[in-house]
Amino acid sequence: MHYLSTRNNELKESFLNVLFQGLSKEGGLFLPSAWPSISIENLRGKNYQEIAHAVISPFVQEDISDEDLVLIVNKTYQSFNPKSIAPLVNIEKNKYILELFYGPTLAFKDYALQFLGNLFSHVLENSNRKITVLGATSGDTGSAAINAFKGKNDIQVFILHPHQMVSEVQRRQMTTVGEKNVHNIALKGTFDDCQKIVKKLFLDDELQSKTSLTAVNSINWARLIAQAVYYFWAYIQSNQEKVNFIVPSGNFGNVFSARIAKFMGLPIDHLHIATNENDILHRTISEGRMRINNVKKTHSPSMDIQVSSNFERQLFESAKRDSDMVQKIMQSFAETGEQVLSDQIVQDMQLIYTTHSVSNSQTLETIKYYNEHYDYLADPHTATGLYVLERMSNEQPAISLACADPGKFGNAIKEATGNLPHFRPELENIFDQDEKMTILDNDTDLIKSHILELI
Ligand SMILES: *Cc1c(COP(=O)(O)O)cnc(C)c1O
């Protein structure tokens, strides 16, 4: 298997090159040349790590030996507690919640970033190479990446987050680690601004050659394959023939991982995308018109995104892998902030995706309702999915993803239920530790020189 790009379908890159490169030279995102299929029957009875090995292996086997992959996967999920790694909770007939907050920073990002950290260490171990990890975060990617890379000698970590637009717990999880290789930048702008700067810096030759920049955002291909694993896991646990998933979405990474699972043969019927009031995905897929609005601050900050990077991967698939067409669409979208998609592309997306936009008040009402009705406390991101789950008939099985521990979003929980959530031990002492971050203006050159200075 080799890798091509959404803006150049003739590329032939190896997995290792794709792993360390954020974007292709044309600015596109990497995808495999063909989708491998996997035998679902062979996965039955396996534990999470064994399923992870089976799902990830076809994508990496030319570069990572089977034995090494087993070691990397086992190391990755060793510290996740409980041992089921990702429990599937059955709340009612045919209605399930897949809990993905048992990694070190208590959001689903750990499931892929801990894997990425161990994968990087493995590859760098026997080389003299040093890398610089650069990422933008709407809240959870940053802490998960910092936790995965902190204290590693050959890796410097730079994380940009939108100043005053992440929750206090999310910020403190990033700024209190106290390791020399971790650098937090609070950007005076939105997440979209952070992401734009990161994308520009990846195409900056000077910075690239001086720092060996590496992407950890969900544009990183290895993250998406590690996330595909829990869709297989959930399906097997459910004992159903065919399932629907409901995925709270921002950057389109998590739901595209579900799409990967479906490409590989997992019997998924429909994928329901839940967005918050930043509903560009909902408008694009339901109406066929991509148009950027201003970013609104909501109770689910990790979904406060207008430009969803990974959407380009879906666009490429729906355009029958025509990279010239994708290039044209993305260029015109970047120039005008607006783009109408062809009927053929929109219909292709609607065959699989159904979208929903959930308001701030509906999010809080859903938290309250699940708490009272099912004795289930959901974080505000998870609640956007549960809003959709509640409105589905229970004739067909549906699995809604629980994206983060409610303790990360105490204020929203208090507003919804009247009480602060219980804080897991991982969060207890971050409130009295010193914070370290640099607040900088929304200016690409400024960020570039800041990075060069610290390297
Ligand atoms: C990242 C994140 C999301 C959005 O996932 P995408 O992959 O960006 O679509 C939703 N909820 C939480 C808690 C997250 O951390």
Side-chain angles (χ1 to χ4, degrees), residues 132-165:
T132 301
V133 158
L134 173 66
T137 186
S138 55
D140 296 314
T141 292
S143 56
I146 287 169
N147 190 287
F149 299 111
K150 67 180 181 193
K152 291 194 194 288
N153 288 331
D154 30 22
I155 305 181
Q156 293 290 322
V157 189
F158 288 86
I159 299 291
L160 279 73
H161 73 262
H163 187 41
Q164 293 175 338
M165 285 183 72

CSV table of all heavy atoms in Angstrom, one decimal, residues 132-165:
chain,number,residue,atom,x,y,z
A,132,THR,N,10.0,18.4,15.6
A,132,THR,CA,9.3,19.4,16.3
A,132,THR,C,7.8,19.2,16.0
A,132,THR,O,7.4,19.2,14.8
A,132,THR,CB,9.7,20.8,15.8
A,132,THR,OG1,11.0,21.0,16.0
A,132,THR,CG2,8.9,21.9,16.5
A,133,VAL,N,7.1,18.9,17.0
A,133,VAL,CA,5.6,18.6,16.9
A,133,VAL,C,4.9,20.0,17.0
A,133,VAL,O,5.1,20.8,17.9
A,133,VAL,CB,5.1,17.7,18.0
A,133,VAL,CG1,3.7,17.8,18.2
A,133,VAL,CG2,5.6,16.3,17.7
A,134,LEU,N,4.1,20.2,16.0
A,134,LEU,CA,3.3,21.5,15.9
A,134,LEU,C,1.9,21.2,15.8
A,134,LEU,O,1.5,20.4,14.9
A,134,LEU,CB,3.8,22.4,14.8
A,134,LEU,CG,3.1,23.7,14.5
A,134,LEU,CD1,3.2,24.6,15.7
A,134,LEU,CD2,3.5,24.3,13.2
A,135,GLY,N,1.0,21.8,16.6
A,135,GLY,CA,-0.4,21.5,16.5
A,135,GLY,C,-1.3,22.6,17.0
A,135,GLY,O,-0.8,23.5,17.8
A,136,ALA,N,-2.5,22.7,16.4
A,136,ALA,CA,-3.5,23.6,16.9
A,136,ALA,C,-4.5,22.8,17.7
A,136,ALA,O,-4.8,21.7,17.3
A,136,ALA,CB,-4.1,24.3,15.7
A,137,THR,N,-5.1,23.4,18.7
A,137,THR,CA,-6.1,22.7,19.5
A,137,THR,C,-7.3,23.6,19.8
A,137,THR,O,-7.1,24.7,20.1
A,137,THR,CB,-5.5,22.1,20.8
A,137,THR,OG1,-6.4,21.3,21.4
A,137,THR,CG2,-5.1,23.3,21.7
A,138,SER,N,-8.4,22.9,19.7
A,138,SER,CA,-9.6,23.6,20.2
A,138,SER,C,-9.9,23.2,21.6
A,138,SER,O,-10.9,23.5,22.2
A,138,SER,CB,-10.8,23.2,19.3
A,138,SER,OG,-11.0,21.8,19.3
A,139,GLY,N,-8.9,22.5,22.2
A,139,GLY,CA,-9.0,22.1,23.6
A,139,GLY,C,-8.4,20.8,24.0
A,139,GLY,O,-7.5,20.7,24.9
A,140,ASP,N,-8.8,19.7,23.4
A,140,ASP,CA,-8.4,18.4,23.9
A,140,ASP,C,-7.2,17.8,23.1
A,140,ASP,O,-6.5,17.1,23.7
A,140,ASP,CB,-9.6,17.4,23.8
A,140,ASP,CG,-10.7,17.8,24.7
A,140,ASP,OD1,-10.5,18.2,25.9
A,140,ASP,OD2,-11.9,17.8,24.3
A,141,THR,N,-7.0,18.1,21.9
A,141,THR,CA,-5.9,17.6,21.2
A,141,THR,C,-4.6,18.1,21.8
A,141,THR,O,-3.6,17.3,22.0
A,141,THR,CB,-5.9,18.1,19.7
A,141,THR,OG1,-6.9,17.5,19.0
A,141,THR,CG2,-4.6,17.7,19.0
A,142,GLY,N,-4.6,19.3,22.3
A,142,GLY,CA,-3.4,19.9,22.9
A,142,GLY,C,-3.0,19.1,24.1
A,142,GLY,O,-1.8,18.7,24.2
A,143,SER,N,-3.9,18.9,25.1
A,143,SER,CA,-3.5,18.2,26.3
A,143,SER,C,-3.1,16.8,26.0
A,143,SER,O,-2.2,16.2,26.6
A,143,SER,CB,-4.6,18.3,27.3
A,143,SER,OG,-5.8,17.8,26.9
A,144,ALA,N,-3.8,16.2,25.1
A,144,ALA,CA,-3.5,14.8,24.7
A,144,ALA,C,-2.2,14.6,24.1
A,144,ALA,O,-1.4,13.7,24.4
A,144,ALA,CB,-4.6,14.2,23.8
A,145,ALA,N,-1.8,15.6,23.2
A,145,ALA,CA,-0.5,15.6,22.5
A,145,ALA,C,0.6,15.9,23.5
A,145,ALA,O,1.6,15.2,23.6
A,145,ALA,CB,-0.5,16.6,21.4
A,146,ILE,N,0.3,16.8,24.4
A,146,ILE,CA,1.4,17.2,25.4
A,146,ILE,C,1.6,16.0,26.3
A,146,ILE,O,2.8,15.6,26.6
A,146,ILE,CB,0.9,18.5,26.2
A,146,ILE,CG1,1.1,19.7,25.3
A,146,ILE,CG2,1.7,18.6,27.5
A,146,ILE,CD1,0.4,20.9,25.8
A,147,ASN,N,0.6,15.3,26.7
A,147,ASN,CA,0.7,14.2,27.6
A,147,ASN,C,1.5,13.1,26.9
A,147,ASN,O,2.3,12.4,27.5
A,147,ASN,CB,-0.6,13.7,28.1
A,147,ASN,CG,-0.5,12.6,29.1
A,147,ASN,OD1,-0.1,11.5,28.8
A,147,ASN,ND2,-0.8,13.0,30.4
A,148,ALA,N,1.2,12.9,25.6
A,148,ALA,CA,1.9,11.8,24.8
A,148,ALA,C,3.3,12.1,24.5
A,148,ALA,O,4.1,11.2,24.4
A,148,ALA,CB,1.1,11.6,23.5
A,149,PHE,N,3.7,13.4,24.5
A,149,PHE,CA,5.1,13.7,24.1
A,149,PHE,C,6.0,14.3,25.2
A,149,PHE,O,7.2,14.6,25.0
A,149,PHE,CB,5.1,14.7,22.9
A,149,PHE,CG,4.4,14.1,21.7
A,149,PHE,CD1,3.2,14.6,21.2
A,149,PHE,CD2,5.0,13.0,21.0
A,149,PHE,CE1,2.6,14.0,20.1
A,149,PHE,CE2,4.4,12.5,19.9
A,149,PHE,CZ,3.2,13.0,19.4
A,150,LYS,N,5.4,14.6,26.3
A,150,LYS,CA,6.1,15.4,27.3
A,150,LYS,C,7.3,14.6,27.8
A,150,LYS,O,7.3,13.4,27.9
A,150,LYS,CB,5.2,15.7,28.5
A,150,LYS,CG,4.8,14.5,29.3
A,150,LYS,CD,3.9,14.9,30.5
A,150,LYS,CE,3.5,13.6,31.2
A,150,LYS,NZ,2.4,13.8,32.2
A,151,GLY,N,8.5,15.3,28.0
A,151,GLY,CA,9.7,14.7,28.5
A,151,GLY,C,10.4,13.8,27.5
A,151,GLY,O,11.4,13.2,27.8
A,152,LYS,N,10.0,13.8,26.3
A,152,LYS,CA,10.7,13.0,25.3
A,152,LYS,C,11.8,13.8,24.7
A,152,LYS,O,11.6,15.0,24.2
A,152,LYS,CB,9.8,12.5,24.1
A,152,LYS,CG,8.8,11.4,24.6
A,152,LYS,CD,8.1,10.8,23.4
A,152,LYS,CE,6.9,9.9,23.7
A,152,LYS,NZ,7.1,8.7,24.4
A,153,ASN,N,13.1,13.3,24.7
A,153,ASN,CA,14.3,14.1,24.4
A,153,ASN,C,14.3,14.6,23.0
A,153,ASN,O,14.7,15.7,22.7
A,153,ASN,CB,15.5,13.2,24.6
A,153,ASN,CG,15.8,13.0,26.0
A,153,ASN,OD1,15.5,13.8,26.9
A,153,ASN,ND2,16.4,11.8,26.3
A,154,ASP,N,13.9,13.8,22.1
A,154,ASP,CA,14.1,14.1,20.6
A,154,ASP,C,12.9,14.8,20.1
A,154,ASP,O,12.8,15.0,18.9
A,154,ASP,CB,14.5,12.9,19.8
A,154,ASP,CG,14.0,11.6,20.4
A,154,ASP,OD1,12.9,11.7,21.1
A,154,ASP,OD2,14.5,10.5,20.1
A,155,ILE,N,12.0,15.2,20.9
A,155,ILE,CA,10.7,15.9,20.4
A,155,ILE,C,10.5,17.2,21.2
A,155,ILE,O,10.4,17.2,22.4
A,155,ILE,CB,9.5,15.0,20.6
A,155,ILE,CG1,9.8,13.6,19.9
A,155,ILE,CG2,8.3,15.6,20.0
A,155,ILE,CD1,8.6,12.6,20.0
A,156,GLN,N,10.3,18.3,20.4
A,156,GLN,CA,9.9,19.6,21.0
A,156,GLN,C,8.4,19.7,20.6
A,156,GLN,O,8.0,19.4,19.5
A,156,GLN,CB,10.7,20.8,20.4
A,156,GLN,CG,12.1,20.8,20.8
A,156,GLN,CD,12.3,21.1,22.3
A,156,GLN,OE1,11.6,22.0,22.8
A,156,GLN,NE2,13.3,20.5,22.9
A,157,VAL,N,7.6,20.2,21.5
A,157,VAL,CA,6.2,20.3,21.3
A,157,VAL,C,5.7,21.7,21.3
A,157,VAL,O,5.9,22.4,22.4
A,157,VAL,CB,5.4,19.5,22.3
A,157,VAL,CG1,3.9,19.4,21.9
A,157,VAL,CG2,6.0,18.1,22.5
A,158,PHE,N,5.1,22.2,20.3
A,158,PHE,CA,4.4,23.5,20.2
A,158,PHE,C,2.9,23.4,20.0
A,158,PHE,O,2.5,22.8,19.0
A,158,PHE,CB,5.0,24.4,19.1
A,158,PHE,CG,6.4,24.9,19.4
A,158,PHE,CD1,7.5,24.1,19.1
A,158,PHE,CD2,6.7,26.1,20.1
A,158,PHE,CE1,8.8,24.5,19.4
A,158,PHE,CE2,7.9,26.5,20.4
A,158,PHE,CZ,9.0,25.7,20.0
A,159,ILE,N,2.1,23.9,20.9
A,159,ILE,CA,0.7,23.8,20.8
A,159,ILE,C,0.0,25.2,20.8
A,159,ILE,O,0.3,25.9,21.8
A,159,ILE,CB,0.1,22.9,21.9
A,159,ILE,CG1,0.7,21.5,21.8
A,159,ILE,CG2,-1.4,22.9,21.8
A,159,ILE,CD1,0.3,20.6,20.6
A,160,LEU,N,-0.7,25.5,19.8
A,160,LEU,CA,-1.5,26.8,19.8
A,160,LEU,C,-2.9,26.5,20.2
A,160,LEU,O,-3.6,25.6,19.6
A,160,LEU,CB,-1.5,27.3,18.3
A,160,LEU,CG,-0.3,28.1,17.8
A,160,LEU,CD1,0.8,27.1,17.5
A,160,LEU,CD2,-0.7,28.9,16.5
A,161,HIS,N,-3.4,27.3,21.1
A,161,HIS,CA,-4.8,27.2,21.4
A,161,HIS,C,-5.4,28.6,21.4
A,161,HIS,O,-4.7,29.6,21.6
A,161,HIS,CB,-5.1,26.5,22.8
A,161,HIS,CG,-4.7,27.4,24.0
A,161,HIS,ND1,-3.5,27.2,24.7
A,161,HIS,CD2,-5.4,28.3,24.7
A,161,HIS,CE1,-3.5,28.1,25.7
A,161,HIS,NE2,-4.6,28.8,25.7
A,162,PRO,N,-6.7,28.8,21.1
A,162,PRO,CA,-7.3,30.1,21.0
A,162,PRO,C,-7.4,30.7,22.4
A,162,PRO,O,-8.1,30.0,23.3
A,162,PRO,CB,-8.7,29.8,20.4
A,162,PRO,CG,-9.0,28.4,20.6
A,162,PRO,CD,-7.7,27.7,20.7
A,163,HIS,N,-6.8,31.8,22.7
A,163,HIS,CA,-6.8,32.4,24.0
A,163,HIS,C,-8.2,32.7,24.5
A,163,HIS,O,-9.0,33.2,23.8
A,163,HIS,CB,-6.0,33.8,23.9
A,163,HIS,CG,-5.7,34.4,25.2
A,163,HIS,ND1,-5.3,33.8,26.3
A,163,HIS,CD2,-5.8,35.7,25.5
A,163,HIS,CE1,-5.2,34.6,27.3
A,163,HIS,NE2,-5.5,35.8,26.9
A,164,GLN,N,-8.4,32.2,25.7
A,164,GLN,CA,-9.7,32.4,26.4
A,164,GLN,C,-10.9,31.7,25.8
A,164,GLN,O,-12.0,32.0,26.0
A,164,GLN,CB,-10.0,33.8,26.6
A,164,GLN,CG,-9.0,34.4,27.6
A,164,GLN,CD,-9.1,35.9,27.8
A,164,GLN,OE1,-9.7,36.6,27.0
A,164,GLN,NE2,-8.6,36.4,28.9
A,165,MET,N,-10.6,30.7,24.9
A,165,MET,CA,-11.7,30.0,24.3
A,165,MET,C,-11.7,28.5,24.5
A,165,MET,O,-12.4,27.8,23.9
A,165,MET,CB,-11.7,30.3,22.8
A,165,MET,CG,-12.3,31.7,22.5
A,165,MET,SD,-12.4,32.1,20.7
A,165,MET,CE,-13.8,31.1,20.2
